[in-house]
Amino acid sequence: MAQRRRGRSEALWQTARMLIPGGVNSPVRAFGAVGGTPVFADHASGSVLVDVDGNRYIDYVMSWGPLILGHAPPAVIKAVREACGRGTSFGMPTAGENELAQAIVNCVPGIEKVRLVSSGTEAAMSALRLARGYTRRDFVIKFEGCYHGHVDGLLAAAGSGVATFAVPDTAGVPAGYAEKTLVAPYNDLDAAAAVFDAFPGQIAGVIVEPVAGNMGVVAPAPGFLEGLREQTRRHGALLVFDEVITGFRLGLGGAQELYGVIPDLTVLGKIIGGGLPAAAYGGRAEIMDALAPGGPVYQAGTLSGNPLAVAAGLAALRELIAAPPYASLEARAAFLAEGLGEAAQDAGIPVWQNRVGSMQTLFFADTPVTDYASAKTADARRYARFFHAMLARGVALAPSQFEACFVSTAHSEEDLERTIAAAREALREIA
Ligand SMILES: *Cc1c(COP(=O)(O)O)cnc(C)c1O
């Protein structure tokens, strides 16, 4: 095993920390959960990322989800180059926005009309504003461990009991914002029902990751999504699926198609931007028409529907639509998970793996992980050691136990075999 060179990453990290808070523009990149110096990326292609010191990694971070076709897929790069030549932003509508909207409407069962924005955070924030404006109600229900971007009111943690007001989960969020959010445990329909009962006629919507990816991967328990559909319908609230990760990852129609549960509103991001900043929210036309300029709910964006982001997203979606890779992704991800599971068993290390399609998490936990509380039983210190042992062997996993690893169409069988071989060594080392 060659020692990883890190001189340039170290130097850039020293400078970054003087100029940028915490040295990074998004916290998880700082390696806070695993320690050590972050890897500074230089370039990447397919499954392989090369850092500024020339180290090569088989990458499973994949920009945290957008890169289902791997790094720098030729069709996306070509589309962005062409779009660039025509100008970078117009502040006027473009044909490309219609084409991307059409592709989304064609694929996602719950979307009849869609509004493009620039980040998943913005999309989730706007979807909830719309849910509140449309229902004329103030409260929303979210689930513990689900992440919907850094929306003020959603950075909320459960209060002292189910069906009580949430409290801010970060400095800078007024208690009054967090109080409009009610937090229930993931996969717990009874808890959600109790919240509905405690706030009759006041719940605008329920927002949920239909497959959770931000506490590590956690699948919905059988009946959970169906139950939320039934509860929201009964109480006149909107069901909002945050499919920022799952959209176009679990299938062209996302988790809603996979599980056959159609939400009122869907939040998209990541894959639909093809690696550039684009996101969207959409739903039934009658709800979406409550948005400005036609309706009373305001939402806007200087760079919304940006032509480069639209070109990248459209090129990515066209590749997926032309040859849906989901069966092959499923097979590859299953192969990887099986290999990792055997390697852990052979090393005598208890693990629990959750996987839905090409998103997966290996938890260093000896009991099933079904919600945030059980995810937190995982041994994050052991994960940190595993992470570094893998990095040293040329495999880049997410730098936190509580994140997903992503298999892309660019991960070859050889990549997966090399990853499993690396994991065998790494797990033995940390046993
Ligand atoms: C990444 C993510 C977001 C936030 O998207 P950004 O583009 O980072 O603002 C929202 N919801 C989910 C489920 C995500 O994984």
Side-chain angles (χ1 to χ4, degrees), residues 112-296:
E112 292 174 357
K113 281 193 178 180
V114 63
R115 172 63 62 81
L116 300 179
V117 294
S118 298
S119 73
T121 296
E122 201 188 350
M125 174 186 80
S126 307
L128 290 184
R129 183 183 303 145
L130 175 58
R132 287 172 161 133
Y134 177 81
T135 60
R136 299 175 184 276
R137 297 173 176 185
D138 284 348
F139 288 93
V140 300
I141 300 176
K142 72 154 281 192
F143 294 93
E144 216 179 1
C146 284
Y147 176 69
H148 308 290
H150 61 98
V151 180
D152 276 327
L154 294 180
L155 294 177
S160 51
V162 173
T164 61
F165 301 118
V167 295
D169 204 19
T170 170
V173 170
Y177 289 13
E179 276 176 9
K180 298 291 187 246
T181 304
L182 303 158
V183 184
Y186 195 75
N187 274 332
D188 189 339
L189 274 179
D190 291 342
V195 177
F196 270 113
D197 289 343
F199 293 83
Q202 299 172 73
I203 310 289
V206 173
I207 186 166
V208 64
E209 287 181 77
V211 174
N214 287 289
M215 52 180 133
V217 172
V218 176
F224 178 59
L225 299 176
E226 292 85 346
L228 294 180
R229 180 64 282 183
E230 191 275 320
Q231 289 180 3
T232 45
R233 204 167 264 145
R234 186 148 47 85
H235 292 278
L238 300 186
L239 180 59
V240 184
F241 275 7
D242 182 344
E243 298 228 40
V244 171
I245 289 180
T246 54
F248 292 92
R249 174 162 294 279
L250 300 184
L252 294 176
Q256 55 194 266
E257 182 181 57
L258 184 65
Y259 293 99
V261 177
I262 310 304
D264 301 296
L265 292 173
T266 301
V267 182
L268 296 170
K270 299 198 168 122
I271 288 174
I272 69 154
L276 270 77
Y281 62 109
R284 294 210 312 275
E286 163 230 351
I287 302 171
M288 293 303 290
D289 285 338
L291 284 173

Side-chain angles (χ1 to χ4, degrees), residues 386-398:
F386 179 58
F387 167 83
H388 282 293
M390 290 297 275
L391 204 61
R393 290 169 174 81
V395 179
L397 303 174

